[in-house]
C-alpha cells in the first residue's frame, strides 16, 4: 500500500514537470511572489512531516500504531500536492520576469528532488538495508528536497511583491482593511451598475436596449458572485487564524505567517482593482467608448484575481479544502467563474456577424471564389502576425510593470 502511494505521488510530481515544459500550459497567470513563497514554505513543511512519519514507520515496523500508519499516506500525498501546485505558479511568474530560466530551473530541480525522494523510499529499494541505513535514505532525500526548495525560495524572495509587511502597520488590521476595501469596491460596483440600468435610453432602439440590459444583467451577476466570494474569503481567513494562532494574538499569527499574509493582502487588492475595472469597462462599452473585447479582458481579469484570493486561502486552509468555510469559498469561486463566462458569452454574441453580412460562396464563380479564398488567407496571416507582435509587446510591458510594482 505504501509503495502504491509513493508511486502515485511521484507520478503526480512528474506530471507537473511535463506541464512545466509543455507549451500548451501557461502556468498560473494569477500567481504572485508572496503566494509562491507561501507555497514553497508549505512544501518544505510537508517534506519534513513526510520524512518524520516515514522514519517513525521504519522504527516501529509492524508495530506501527494504526493512527500513525494512516498519517503516512496522508503526508506523502500532501507533499506531492504541495510541490505539484507550486510548479504552475513558478511558470506563471517566470513569464513576467527577466530571469525566467533560473526560476523554471529551480522549480524543475525541486520537483525532480521530490520525485526522487518518493521513489527512493519504495520497499524494493530499501530491501537489504538495516533500520539505520533506511533512516539515512529518508534523511538524505528530505535534505535534497529542502536544499532545492531553499534555492527556489532565494530566487522568488528577491522578486517585487507589490506589498510587504515591512511597510509598517498592524498586519491583522491591514488584512481586515483590505478585505473590507474589496467588499466596498464590489458594493460600489453594484451601485454603479444600478445607476447605469436607470440611465434614459432611446425608446426606438429596442435591440440596443435589449443588448444593454443583457450586458448589465451579466455584469451584475459577476459583482454579486464576487461579493459572496469576498464574504466567504473573510470567513475562511477568520477560521484559519482562529485555528492556527493558539494562545497568541491575531497580529502575532499574521507576522509569523508573513508570506501568506502578504499573498492574502495582494489578492484582496487585486479583486478590488479588477472589479472596478470591469464596471468602468462595461460603462464604456454601453457608452461606445470601449470595445466589447475590452470587456472580455476585464472579465477574465476578475476571474484571475478571485482565483488568486482562493489560492491564497487554500495554502493555509484548516482541514484542507474539505473544511466548511473553505468549501464555501471554493463554491463561491466556481460561481464567479460561471458568471464571468456568462458575461463573456453575452459580449461574444455582439461580435458575431449578422446573417445580413453572410456571403453565399456557392454562387461565386471559380475565379472570384479563388480570389476571395486568397484574400482570406492573406487576412489570416496578417492577423496572426499582428497577434504575435501584440503578444510580444504585452510580454515586455508586463515585465516592466512587474519590476516597478
Amino acid at each position: 500500500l505504501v509503495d502504491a502511494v509513493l508511486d502515485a505521488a511521484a507520478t503526480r510530481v512528474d506530471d507537473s514537470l511535463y506541464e512545466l515544459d509543455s507549451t500548451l500550459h501557461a502556468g498560473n497567470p494569477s500567481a504572485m511572489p508572496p503566494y509562491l513563497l507561501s507555497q514553497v514554505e508549505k512544501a518544505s513543511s510537508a517534506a519534513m512531516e513526510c520524512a518524520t512519519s516515514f522514519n517513525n514507520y521504519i522504527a516501529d515496523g509492524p508495530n506501527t500504531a494504526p493512527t500513525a500508519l494512516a498519517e503516512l499516506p496522508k503526508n506523502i500525498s500532501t507533499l506531492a500536492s504541495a510541490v505539484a501546485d507550486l510548479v504552475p505558479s513558478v511558470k506563471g511568474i517566470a513569464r513576467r520576469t527577466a530571469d525566467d530560466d533560473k526560476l523554471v530551473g529551480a522549480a524543475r530541480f525541486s520537483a525532480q528532488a521530490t520525485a526522487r525522494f518518493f521513489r527512493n523510499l519504495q520497499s524494493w529499494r530499501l530491501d537489504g538495508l538495516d533500520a539505520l541505513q533506511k533512516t539515512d535514505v529518508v534523511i538524505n532525500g528530505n535534505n535534497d528536497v529542502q536544499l532545492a526548495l531553499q534555492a527556489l525560495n532565494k530566487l522568488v524572495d528577491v522578486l517585487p511583491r507589490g506589498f510587504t509587511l515591512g511597510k509598517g502597520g498592524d498586519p491583522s488590521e491591514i488584512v481586515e482593511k483590505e478585505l473590507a476595501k474589496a467588499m466596498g469596491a464590489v458594493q460600489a460596483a453594484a451601485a454603479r451598475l444600478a445607476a447605469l440600468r436607470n440611465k434614459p435610453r432611446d425608446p426606438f432602439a429596442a435591440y440596443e436596449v435589449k443588448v444593454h440590459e443583457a450586458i448589465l444583467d451579466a455584469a451584475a451577476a459577476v459583482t454579486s458572485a464576487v461579493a459572496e466570494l469576498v464574504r466567504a474569503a473573510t470567513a475562511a481567513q477568520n477560521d484559519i487564524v482562529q485555528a492556527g494562532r493558539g494562545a497568541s494574538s491575531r497580529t502575532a499569527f499574521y507576522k509569523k505567517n508573513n508570506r501568506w499574509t502578504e499573498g492574502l493582502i495582494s489578492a484582496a487588492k487585486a479583486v478590488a482593482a479588477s472589479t472596478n475595472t470591469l464596471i468602468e469597462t462595461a460603462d464604456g462599452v454601453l457608452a461606445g467608448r470601449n470595445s466589447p473585447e475590452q470587456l472580455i479582458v476585464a472579465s477574465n481579469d476578475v476571474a484571475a484575481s478571485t482565483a488568486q484570493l482562493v489560492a491564497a486561502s487554500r495554502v493555509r486552509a484548516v482541514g484542507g479544502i474539505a473544511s466548511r468555510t473553505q468549501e464555501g469559498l471554493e463554491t463561491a469561486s466556481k460561481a464567479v467563474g460561471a458568471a464571468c463566462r456568462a458575461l463573456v458569452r453575452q459580449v461574444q454574441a455582439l461580435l458575431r456577424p449578422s446573417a445580413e453580412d453572410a456571403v453565399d460562396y456557392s454562387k461565386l464563380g471559380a475565379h472570384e471564389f479563388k480570389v476571395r479564398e486568397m484574400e482570406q488567407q492573406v487576412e489570416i496571416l496578417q492577423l496572426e502576425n499582428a497577434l504575435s507582435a501584440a503578444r510580444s509587446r504585452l510580454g515586455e510591458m508586463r515585465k516592466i510593470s512587474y519590476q516597478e510594482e
Side-chain angles (χ1 to χ4, degrees):
L1 176 62
V2 174
D3 278 355
V5 174
L6 287 167
D7 189 58
T11 300
R12 178 166 188 192
V13 176
D14 286 341
D15 288 344
S16 72
L17 279 170
Y18 168 76
E19 293 181 7
L20 182 66
D21 295 322
S22 173
T23 55
L24 299 176
H25 296 85
N28 180 1
S30 62
M32 294 295 286
Y35 171 55
L36 179 53
L37 286 169
S38 66
Q39 284 184 300
V40 173
E41 184 181 346
K42 180 180 180 180
S44 178
S45 298
M48 290 297 296
E49 290 176 7
C50 181
T52 301
S53 60
F54 206 94
N55 276 335
N56 290 339
Y57 171 66
I58 291 172
D60 297 336
N63 299 320
T64 304
T67 52
L69 192 59
E71 282 294 309
L72 182 56
K74 176 186 173 184
N75 289 336
I76 292 171
S77 179
T78 300
L79 174 57
S81 299
V83 174
D85 289 344
L86 72 81
V87 168
S89 295
V90 170
K91 188 170 185 178
I93 289 176
R95 292 162 64 91
R96 309 192 296 266
T97 63
D99 292 334
D100 54 340
D101 289 340
K102 288 184 180 179
L103 268 177
V104 170
R108 182 181 293 108
F109 188 54
S110 298
Q112 288 171 341
T114 305
R116 189 166 57 250
F117 179 40
F118 289 140
R119 291 196 168 97
N120 286 342
L121 297 182
Q122 291 181 309
S123 60
W124 63 272
R125 290 183 183 271
L126 298 177
D127 282 346
L129 301 179
D130 59 34
L132 185 59
Q133 289 173 321
K134 291 178 182 178
T135 301
D136 284 341
V137 171
V138 177
I139 292 172
N140 291 335
N142 176 47
N143 188 54
D144 289 344
V145 173
Q146 297 296 341
L147 289 174
L149 290 172
Q150 286 171 17
L152 175 60
N153 186 86
K154 287 180 181 178
L155 291 174
V156 180
D157 206 25
V158 298
L159 296 176
R161 301 192 202 175
F163 176 87
T164 60
L165 291 177
K167 293 181 180 178
D170 184 333
S172 66
E173 290 181 3
I174 295 173
V175 170
E176 290 172 5
K177 186 172 88 172
E178 291 303 331
L179 285 171
K181 274 186 180 179
M183 179 58 76
V186 175
Q187 291 171 343
R192 187 167 176 181
L193 279 175
L196 289 174
R197 196 185 294 277
N198 295 328
K199 269 187 177 180
R201 298 189 182 92
D202 184 355
F204 297 102
Y207 173 74
E208 185 177 330
V209 170
K210 184 178 178 181
V211 168
H212 285 194
E213 289 293 336
I215 290 178
L216 287 173
D217 287 344
V222 171
T223 57
S224 176
V226 172
E228 185 58 38
L229 181 133
V230 174
R231 278 192 287 269
T234 303
Q237 170 255 336
N238 286 334
D239 269 11
I240 290 168
V241 176
Q242 193 64 33
R245 71 187 181 95
S248 62
S249 66
R250 292 173 66 89
T251 299
F253 176 84
Y254 282 121
K255 284 184 176 179
K256 178 183 176 182
N257 300 279
N258 61 309
R259 287 169 176 169
W260 170 72
T261 305
E262 289 167 359
L264 188 65
I265 292 170
S266 295
K269 286 176 176 286
V271 169
S274 62
T275 305
N276 277 332
T277 301
L278 175 71
I279 303 309
E280 288 174 4
T281 308
D283 186 12
V285 169
L286 299 182
R289 297 190 305 272
N290 294 334
S291 68
E293 291 86 353
Q294 286 176 299
L295 189 54
I296 291 177
V297 171
S299 177
N300 291 338
D301 194 38
V302 169
S305 64
T306 53
Q308 181 184 341
L309 183 59
V310 174
S313 177
R314 190 182 293 162
V315 170
R316 284 272 182 268
V318 181
I321 297 177
S323 70
R324 182 183 59 80
T325 53
Q326 186 66 25
E327 186 179 349
L329 181 55
E330 300 286 339
T331 302
S333 175
K334 291 176 184 176
V336 172
C340 287
R341 288 192 294 274
L343 176 57
V344 169
R345 284 195 296 271
Q346 288 290 347
V347 177
Q348 286 175 334
L350 300 178
L351 300 175
R352 292 193 191 105
S354 65
E356 296 175 0
D357 299 329
V359 177
D360 188 355
Y361 294 107
S362 64
K363 294 181 180 180
L364 298 179
H367 175 70
E368 187 178 1
F369 184 88
K370 189 64 179 178
V371 170
R372 290 287 189 96
E373 184 181 22
M374 291 183 66
E375 286 175 350
Q376 289 304 306
Q377 289 175 341
V378 169
E379 184 178 356
I380 289 171
L381 183 59
Q382 289 173 336
L383 291 172
E384 285 177 344
N385 289 336
L387 179 61
S388 177
R391 281 179 172 156
S392 178
R393 289 193 299 271
L394 178 61
E396 292 302 314
M397 290 169 65
R398 280 179 172 169
K399 286 180 181 179
I400 293 172
S401 64
Y402 188 63
Q403 294 299 325
E404 289 177 349
E405 284 181 355

